């Protein structure tokens, strides 16, 4: 195998390597880096440049050369050899730049360039060009131009892949943002539904007038409290109260006044419920002697009447859970005790 054949084989290996690297490129900067180095190596050039079409101008994006060329500059398509290659969709092979009318000589005088080859990137509607330059006069042969054009064709594919990759990435980002927004909306809707359900449940267990538990709310919470007390071996005291007033004021004020009085007499952890009118239930634990509780309640009622200038009376029925009764049995005992109670008590 002669030297030229060995050299051509090496050039093919360089081209294959460049094509493989281009297939993995994910941005334009990486493509430019691969192309500028591969182009110079393929034909043994003293410089190579990667040019992009930017509207009606040529943008010299990157270069690899023995001295600076035009990196970062833009030139009109009609006055630039890279523009000529793109507009005519064919390579420009120039042995002596100063003998070719297509070359803007003033732009080349400050450079080392004497000969060049410029090939378009993509034959149909070129998007750029690859240029190689020599410091001494040299006419590139058909093989060299073919290698550069093959590199340019692979570069076109790589640029399209990058565009597709970027579009796909943007779609993924947009879709991810849509999913995040949808998930946030679903989460907000779920939270709102839960809040509404909690409100509905709370309203269904709350006396609208006084804000105390109603019968349903009392039954639910009292059953839980009774079970907890049973596990801790702590007795509960259930009070069934009938509050009345000797005042001649509006009857609708009685439940509010009675609720205010009961809140003042019992602890925050005690369950207080209004069944209707002036009828209330109270469940308390850790109360001590039940008769002492009743006495304190009566004393508190008297103090409340004097302070609030009210004349509330109170009938009390009570039941203790010390015998292991369930809630229904306690309610029945307290209700029976209320019916056996005498006239309402108002003061001590």
């Amino acid at each position: 195998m002669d030297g030229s054949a060995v050299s051509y084989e090496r050039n093919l290996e360089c081209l294959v390597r460049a094509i493989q690297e281009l297939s993995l490129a994910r941005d334009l900067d990486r493509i430019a880096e691969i192309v500028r180095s591969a182009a110079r190596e393929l034909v043994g050039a003293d410089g190579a440049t990667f040019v992009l079409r930017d509207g009606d101008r040529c943008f010299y994006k990157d270069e690899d050369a023995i001295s600076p060329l035009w990196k970062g500059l833009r030139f009109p398509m009609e006055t630039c050899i890279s523009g000529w290659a793109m507009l005519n969709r064919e390579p420009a092979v120039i042995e002596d730049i100063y003998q070719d009318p297509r070359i803007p000589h003033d732009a080349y005088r400050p450079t080392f360039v004497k000969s060049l080859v410029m090939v378009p990137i993509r034959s149909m509607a070129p998007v750029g060009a690859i240029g190689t330059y020599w410091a001494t006069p040299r006419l590139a042969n058909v093989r060299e131009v073919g290698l550069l054009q093959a590199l340019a064709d692979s570069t076109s594919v790589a640029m399209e892949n990058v565009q597709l990759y970027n579009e796909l990435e943007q779609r993924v980002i947009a879709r991810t943002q849509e999913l995040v927004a949808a998930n946030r909306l679903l989460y907000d809707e779920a939270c709102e539904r839960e809040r509404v359900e909690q409100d509905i449940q709370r309203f269904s267990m709350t006396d609208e007038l006084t804000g105390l538990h109603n019968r349903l709310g009392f039954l639910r919470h009292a059953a839980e409290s009774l079970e907890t007390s049973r596990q801790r071996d702590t007795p509960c005291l259930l009070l069934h109260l009938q509050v009345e007033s000797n005042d001649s004021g509006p009857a609708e004020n009685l439940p509010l006044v009675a609720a205010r009085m009961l809140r003042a007499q019992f602890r925050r952890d005690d369950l207080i419920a209004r069944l209707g009118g002036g009828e209330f239930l109270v469940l308390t634990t850790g109360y001590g002697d039940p008769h002492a509780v009743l006495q304190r309640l009566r004393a508190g009622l008297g103090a409340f009447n004097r302070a609030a200038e009210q004349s509330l009376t109170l009938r009390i029925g009570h039941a203790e859970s010390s015998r292991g009764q369930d809630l229904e049995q306690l309610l029945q005992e307290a209700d029976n005790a209320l019916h056996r109670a005498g006239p309402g008590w108002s003061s001590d």
Side-chain angles (χ1 to χ4, degrees):
M1 185 180 294
D2 59 24
S4 62
V6 172
S7 177
Y8 185 63
E9 184 175 344
R10 289 176 179 173
N11 289 340
L12 287 178
E13 292 175 355
C14 173
L15 177 61
V16 170
R17 185 171 63 253
I19 292 173
Q20 291 173 338
E21 292 176 353
L22 285 170
S23 69
L24 300 175
R26 289 294 176 265
D27 57 63
L28 205 54
D29 288 341
R30 178 57 181 155
I31 289 177
E33 180 183 356
I34 296 168
V35 169
R36 71 182 188 189
S37 299
R40 185 174 177 182
E41 182 179 351
L42 276 176
V43 294
D46 297 312
T49 187
F50 178 67
V51 187
L52 293 176
R53 182 166 186 170
D54 183 15
D56 60 352
R57 304 179 77 82
C58 300
F59 172 48
Y60 283 70
K61 178 175 176 58
D62 208 350
E63 64 187 29
D64 180 2
I66 57 177
S67 63
L69 293 169
W70 306 280
K71 181 177 179 179
L73 299 181
R74 287 174 169 80
F75 301 98
M77 293 279 290
E78 294 78 8
T79 62
C80 182
I81 193 60
S82 58
W84 185 94
M86 285 185 266
L87 292 173
N88 289 274
R89 296 180 295 174
E90 63 180 73
V93 182
I94 301 175
E95 182 178 9
D96 185 350
I97 63 168
Y98 295 108
Q99 299 300 318
D100 195 300
R102 295 173 296 180
I103 297 294
H105 299 154
D106 290 342
Y108 280 76
R109 293 189 194 282
T111 72
F112 64 86
V113 179
K114 297 296 186 293
S115 302
L116 66 82
V117 172
M118 187 70 68
V119 294
I121 298 174
R122 202 165 69 186
S123 57
M124 296 296 294
V127 292
I130 299 173
T132 52
Y133 309 94
W134 289 268
T136 57
R138 186 177 187 282
L139 181 62
N141 59 44
V142 174
R143 280 186 174 181
E144 291 172 327
V145 175
L147 289 170
L148 290 173
Q149 191 60 66
L151 176 63
D153 293 341
S154 298
T155 300
S156 171
V157 174
M159 291 173 66
E160 291 175 0
N161 288 342
V162 164
Q163 183 177 1
L164 291 173
Y165 178 82
N166 289 336
E167 290 175 355
L168 177 60
E169 189 175 48
Q170 290 303 314
R171 286 200 295 270
V172 169
I173 292 173
R175 182 57 178 160
T176 300
Q177 292 174 340
E178 291 174 0
L179 290 174
V180 169
N183 287 337
R184 170 56 64 180
L185 181 60
L186 289 174
Y187 175 77
D188 292 342
E189 289 177 350
C191 290
E192 179 63 18
R193 282 198 302 272
E194 182 178 1
R195 186 190 66 78
V196 171
E197 290 171 358
Q198 290 175 347
D199 287 345
I200 291 173
Q201 186 178 43
R202 185 172 66 254
F203 293 149
S204 70
M205 296 190 297
T206 301
D207 178 60
E208 184 177 357
L209 180 61
T210 63
L212 297 174
H213 294 298
N214 59 17
R215 180 183 294 274
L216 177 62
F218 181 84
L219 292 176
R220 173 169 297 186
H221 292 291
E224 295 173 357
S225 296
L226 191 61
E227 180 61 27
T228 300
S229 297
R230 186 171 293 140
Q231 292 173 0
R232 296 175 179 175
D233 196 24
T234 303
C236 292
L237 177 65
L238 177 64
L239 304 175
H240 194 164
L241 308 175
Q242 181 66 53
V243 183
E244 297 176 350
S245 176
N246 294 325
D247 291 338
S248 58
E252 61 268 20
N253 290 335
L254 174 62
L256 292 173
V257 173
R260 183 156 55 92
M261 182 272 293
L262 292 175
R263 283 194 179 100
Q265 305 309 315
F266 291 95
R267 300 167 302 182
R268 182 183 297 273
D269 294 337
D270 293 331
L271 288 176
I272 307 175
R274 174 176 174 254
L275 303 183
E279 189 176 1
F280 296 84
L281 290 173
V282 178
L283 183 68
T284 180
T285 59
Y287 51 84
D289 180 15
H291 296 289
V293 174
L294 300 183
Q295 187 60 32
R296 287 197 299 271
L297 178 57
R298 292 188 180 102
L301 173 64
F304 179 84
N305 280 338
R306 289 190 294 273
E309 297 183 352
Q310 296 287 334
S311 58
L312 300 181
T313 62
L314 179 65
R315 288 196 302 129
I316 304 174
H318 74 278
E320 298 179 71
S321 67
S322 55
R323 298 191 304 276
Q325 307 95 314
D326 61 22
L327 180 59
E328 185 176 351
Q329 291 171 324
L330 284 176
L331 288 169
Q332 187 62 51
E333 287 184 26
D335 183 63
N336 292 338
L338 178 65
H339 284 90
R340 292 194 302 269
W345 189 93
S346 63
S347 68
D348 53 1

